[in-house]
């Protein structure tokens, strides 16, 4: 497990949008912007209301990339790691309410009444295994943080 660098956390806070990249079993890429998310030092969480492209990809190939960037200052980061579904009902409810309140100032039940006919979303947890700068320099291919587990090292080619 790695800690998300503070400069990446600051960008999450200031930009308020992330882009999630996933791939399906045929190798077809998918990008999905997320404007409502929550993060800790070691994970990023978002709500998934729609059970199609991204979620199908997450279930078959849990490795994804999360990008965050500031287009004005031309800085950004790519985090590579794995997603999982939060299944513990108390934790799922807690994270759902944190994300709902941060996005709207309202409880999740009020939001879900309007956008999903009371369907509760899945909560996705992304655990980064490597963090890269998106600065277009030669060294941007070198991770600024990396989990040294055998799984990560072999999959990321390190």
């Amino acid at each position: 497990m790695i800690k998300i660098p503070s400069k990446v956390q600051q960008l999450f806070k200031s930009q308020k949008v992330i882009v999630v990249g996933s791939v399906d079993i045929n190798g077809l890429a998918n990008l999905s912007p997320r404007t409502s998310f929550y993060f800790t030092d070691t994970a990023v969480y978002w709500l998934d209301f729609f059970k199609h492209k991204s979620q199908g990809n997450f279930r078959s190939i849990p490795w994804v990339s999360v990008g965050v960037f500031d287009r004005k200052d031309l800085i950004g980061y790519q985090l590579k790691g794995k997603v999982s579904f939060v299944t513990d009902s108390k934790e799922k409810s807690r994270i759902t309410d944190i994300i709902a309140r941060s996005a709207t100032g309202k409880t999740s039940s009020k939001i879900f009444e309007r956008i999903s006919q009371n369907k509760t979303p899945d909560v996705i947890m992304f655990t980064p295994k490597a963090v890269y700068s998106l600065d277009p320099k030669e060294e941007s291919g070198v991770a600024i943080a990396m989990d040294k587990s055998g799984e990560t090292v072999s999959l990321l080619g390190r």
Side-chain angles (χ1 to χ4, degrees), residues 89-127:
S89 59
K90 286 183 181 180
E91 183 67 359
K92 185 176 175 180
S93 179
R94 183 184 79 79
I95 293 169
T96 299
D97 279 338
I98 289 171
I99 294 171
R101 286 180 189 276
S102 71
T104 66
K106 299 179 182 175
T107 64
S108 58
S109 60
K110 293 289 183 192
I111 296 167
F112 302 154
E113 286 173 11
R114 294 184 178 186
I115 64 174
S116 62
Q117 299 149 350
N118 284 330
K119 293 179 188 172
T120 58
D122 285 320
V123 176
I124 309 298
M125 179 177 79
F126 169 76
T127 306

Side-chain angles (χ1 to χ4, degrees), residues 37-71:
F37 60 94
Y38 163 67
F39 64 92
T40 66
D41 284 349
T42 59
V44 181
Y45 301 85
W46 61 83
L47 305 180
D48 199 352
F49 288 93
F50 309 106
K51 319 288 189 213
H52 52 286
K53 290 184 289 187
S54 293
Q55 193 167 112
N57 294 352
F58 299 158
R59 290 188 188 281
S60 59
I61 302 174
W63 283 93
V64 303
S65 290
V66 170
V68 60
F69 54 91
D70 179 334
R71 76 176 206 205

Side-chain angles (χ1 to χ4, degrees), residues 11-30:
L11 210 51
F12 283 154
K13 285 180 190 175
S14 69
Q15 297 306 304
K16 298 182 179 18
V17 66
I18 59 175
V19 179
V20 177
S22 62
V23 65
D24 70 16
I25 59 173
N26 297 309
L28 187 60
N30 183 62

Side-chain angles (χ1 to χ4, degrees), residues 27 43 77 84 92 101 152-153:
Y77 299 93
S84 60
K92 185 176 175 180
R101 286 180 189 276
T152 303
V153 172

